[in-house]
Amino acid sequence: MSKANVRRQLVLLEKNKVPKEKTTTTLSPNFSYKHLKRIYPIGLHKSSSSSSLSLSSLSLSLSENSIDSSSINDSTSPLDQKISLALRLIAPPPQRRESPVAKVFQQQSQSFQDTDNGELRRCNWITKNSDKVYVAFHDECWGVPVYDDNQLFELLALSGMLMDHNWTEIVKRRELFREAFSGFDPNTVAKMGEKEIEEIASNKAIMLPDCKVRCIIDNAKCILKIVRECGSFSSYMWGSVNHKPVINRFRYPRNVPLRSPKAEAMSKDLIKRGFRYVGPVIVYSFMQAAGLTIDHLVDCYRYSECVSLAERPWRRI
């Protein structure tokens, strides 16, 4: 075959070829399908009935999920907008990581749950038969640091009554004591005379003998002397523990002492200043109630709460 015949056949073949349909798509200058597929391996095609995933179907899904498309820059092309919305739809939602602190608190709260009845675990001397008033005193007052002079005077007076009564009996009449002794304001109590003493001692609901009433009044007068010397009764009391609660880690009731060296030292100084009914055992009970020492058992739910209060940075009062 001559070269002319070969050339003629090639021309005929070129004419019989079917030209491919070219599609033009307007994209931003730096946009690349190859780059898009490398990040999100999905196919983006023109809308058609045979497309398994099309831009129009993605746009419909986005509108149904109320995703605001107004944040897309208006200067971009419609295809760029659809691609951006599609990427937002496909992107996995951010996972919330649980805080380590929250996990610790959750574990602590679970450890303080009583496995028998699901109630909070308290100190062992709080039982099912304990009076609700005493339980409330344990949960809300006992071991909480107190810095108010009147409240400290009240707890010192109530602790002195432990010689004849228990905490349940004392706490039940707490409001009666507050009313009889004017909220345990040392300035008012120190001025009480024979008339007030007789009225309080004769009140059968209070059940406080004459000698105890006089003791509380005498202690109020001693507190006023301390206020003039130290600035406040609170400053004097907290000075005995270096202005920071003593934190113990007792696991069993038998480990909790009836007295301590600090209580003995405080008792001696109070007696020297003229206070009455302030032996080492009474003073230590006062320290426990006023939060000068933390004696909740370590598995009691109140232990960590009182310790967190005790470990705050304190300033002298």
Side-chain angles (χ1 to χ4, degrees):
M1 183 180 294
S2 64
K3 293 183 178 180
N5 293 334
V6 173
R7 188 178 297 108
R8 189 179 300 107
Q9 290 183 4
L10 290 176
V11 171
L12 292 176
L13 289 174
E14 290 293 337
K15 289 182 180 181
N16 293 330
K17 284 186 178 180
V18 180
K20 295 184 179 179
E21 182 181 359
K22 297 183 180 180
T23 58
T24 58
T25 306
T26 304
L27 294 176
S28 58
N30 298 326
F31 183 83
S32 171
Y33 272 119
K34 182 178 180 182
H35 178 68
L36 175 64
K37 292 183 179 181
R38 188 164 58 246
I39 302 175
Y40 292 99
I42 62 171
L44 299 179
H45 309 285
K46 295 178 64 176
S47 300
S48 64
S49 58
S50 61
S51 299
S52 60
L53 178 62
S54 64
L55 289 176
S56 59
S57 61
L58 285 175
S59 177
L60 178 60
S61 300
L62 290 168
S63 62
E64 289 177 350
N65 285 278
S66 301
I67 297 181
D68 186 11
S69 61
S70 60
S71 59
I72 305 299
N73 191 352
D74 294 338
S75 61
T76 59
S77 65
L79 182 58
D80 287 341
Q81 294 181 10
K82 291 183 178 181
I83 293 173
S84 178
L85 293 175
L87 297 181
R88 288 170 57 186
L89 178 66
I90 298 170
Q95 297 181 353
R96 294 183 58 185
R97 298 180 60 184
E98 187 176 2
S99 171
V101 177
K103 187 178 296 184
V104 170
F105 277 108
Q106 184 179 4
Q107 293 175 353
Q108 288 182 347
S109 62
Q110 292 176 353
S111 64
F112 292 137
Q113 292 287 336
D114 194 335
T115 56
D116 296 335
N117 50 22
E119 295 182 357
L120 290 172
R121 185 175 299 169
R122 297 178 172 86
C123 297
N124 289 2
W125 51 85
I126 303 293
T127 65
K128 296 180 180 180
N129 298 326
S130 298
D131 194 282
K132 293 182 179 180
V133 176
Y134 181 50
V135 176
F137 176 68
H138 167 274
D139 292 353
E140 301 170 7
C141 304
W142 200 75
V144 176
V146 176
Y147 293 90
D148 180 75
D149 280 8
N150 293 8
Q151 294 180 20
L152 289 170
F153 177 31
E154 174 185 340
L155 290 174
L156 183 63
L158 298 182
S159 299
M161 300 176 191
L162 289 171
M163 295 181 63
D164 304 314
H165 308 281
N166 56 42
W167 272 122
T168 301
E169 297 171 342
I170 294 171
V171 174
K172 281 185 175 181
R173 302 196 300 273
R174 192 175 187 177
E175 291 300 326
L176 296 176
F177 293 139
R178 288 175 175 173
E179 184 179 354
F181 292 101
S182 302
F184 287 93
D185 181 2
N187 295 283
T188 304
V189 176
K191 298 177 182 178
M192 287 184 175
E194 291 296 328
K195 181 180 179 180
E196 289 83 2
I197 295 174
E198 183 179 353
E199 289 179 356
I200 296 173
S202 60
N203 191 333
K204 295 182 180 180
I206 294 179
M207 293 190 302
L208 203 61
D210 178 272
C211 61
K212 289 293 182 67
V213 178
R214 294 182 184 274
C215 169
I216 294 174
I217 295 175
D218 292 342
N219 287 350
K221 296 177 181 179
C222 296
I223 289 176
L224 295 181
K225 294 179 182 179
I226 290 179
V227 171
R228 289 192 291 267
E229 178 185 344
C230 303
S232 68
F233 185 51
S234 176
S235 179
Y236 164 77
M237 282 296 185
W238 282 98
S240 63
V241 292
N242 197 24
H243 300 276
K244 189 174 182 180
V246 177
I247 302 175
N248 294 315
R249 294 186 57 84
F250 300 129
R251 187 168 296 277
Y252 305 104
R254 63 175 180 269
N255 301 138
V256 182
L258 295 176
R259 56 202 292 172
S260 70
K262 289 184 180 295
E264 292 176 356
M266 186 186 297
S267 173
K268 290 180 180 179
D269 194 68
L270 288 172
I271 293 174
K272 182 180 177 180
R273 293 174 178 272
F275 283 81
R276 300 166 59 190
Y277 289 98
V278 286
V281 177
I282 290 178
V283 169
Y284 193 72
S285 297
F286 160 76
M287 293 176 65
Q288 292 173 320
L292 277 79
T293 179
I294 308 300
D295 276 356
H296 283 282
L297 301 183
V298 292
D299 60 351
C300 174
Y301 88 97
R302 285 293 291 163
Y303 177 80
S304 59
E305 297 178 355
C306 290
V307 167
S308 65
L309 294 175
E311 290 181 340
R312 292 186 301 181
W314 299 109
R315 61 177 178 83
R316 294 196 176 187
I317 297 177

